[in-house]
Amino acid sequence: MSALVLVLAGTDHHPFDRMVAWADDAAVRHPEVHVVVQHGASRPPVVAEGKDFLGHDQLAGLLEAASVVVCHGGPGLITEAREAGHVPLCVPRDPALGEHVDAHQQRFAAMVGRVGVVREVLDRATFEVQLDAALAEGAHRGVGLATVHELRDSARAKVAAELDELLAVVRPQPRTRRRSHAGR
């Protein structure tokens, strides 16, 4: 059975042609690998198998079957990939390229990348290196369900701790109201 690389651009209306092109290049470089790209509003792949959208059951089935998952930087898909036992290659959408309205995916991917929830990928060269490494590792195949759940719980704890730390920095301190002594 050949490896399956699942590439998920998501459902945002902004095109993500950059990631689709990288997936097509991967399909050319690895003809022994089945590459499936959920491309949404992006142009469909030329070499890889393309699907514009996936129903949730279809997505869950592909995540279970995948050897490697590549996704954008949205928390929903990252969570789905982690729930299926993957440490996804995460390519955050870049607003400077018209892939999204702001840089929230870049900030989120950097944060969760630092704690090992994803493998952050910002350029084609890194994508190729990370994909080759993930294919060589065999991703999560052969990992028992208990281990997958341990990995998921550990990732959740890491993200929660990082979010708590970030919120502590930006959380305003409660103001104490001073009583006026005038009129006493």
Side-chain angles (χ1 to χ4, degrees), residues 16-37:
F16 201 7
D17 296 337
R18 175 173 58 113
M19 190 167 73
V20 173
W22 295 358
D24 253 351
D25 289 348
V28 170
R29 286 187 322 109
H30 294 284
E32 76 286 0
V33 173
H34 184 195
V35 179
V36 175
V37 180

Side-chain angles (χ1 to χ4, degrees), residues 6-10 19 36-38 54 59 63 69-72 77:
L6 178 60
V7 180
L8 303 165
M19 190 167 73
V36 175
V37 180
Q38 179 276 312
L54 298 170
L59 173 62
L63 284 168
V69 173
V70 180
C71 65
H72 65 72
L77 273 177

Side-chain angles (χ1 to χ4, degrees), residues 78 82 86-88 107-120 150-166:
I78 290 170
R82 291 305 307 232
H86 296 280
V87 176
R107 291 188 305 271
F108 186 72
M111 179 186 70
V112 295
R114 280 193 304 272
V115 295
V117 174
V118 300
R119 296 177 183 188
E120 185 184 17
E150 289 168 10
L151 290 169
R152 178 200 62 205
D153 293 344
S154 173
R156 283 179 176 168
K158 287 178 182 179
V159 170
E162 186 78 14
L163 287 172
D164 286 345
E165 190 175 311
L166 285 172

Side-chain angles (χ1 to χ4, degrees), residues 118-141:
V118 300
R119 296 177 183 188
E120 185 184 17
V121 175
L122 301 177
D123 57 62
R124 182 187 300 261
T126 304
F127 175 76
E128 291 173 0
V129 168
Q130 290 288 341
L131 179 62
D132 291 351
L135 285 168
E137 292 165 7
H140 80 289
R141 297 299 96 194

Side-chain angles (χ1 to χ4, degrees), residues 9 12-20 39-43 93-94 97-100:
D12 187 81
H13 69 276
H14 295 88
F16 201 7
D17 296 337
R18 175 173 58 113
M19 190 167 73
V20 173
H39 55 85
S42 306
R43 66 170 175 73
R93 290 172 175 266
D94 186 344
L97 301 175
E99 297 169 348
H100 220 311

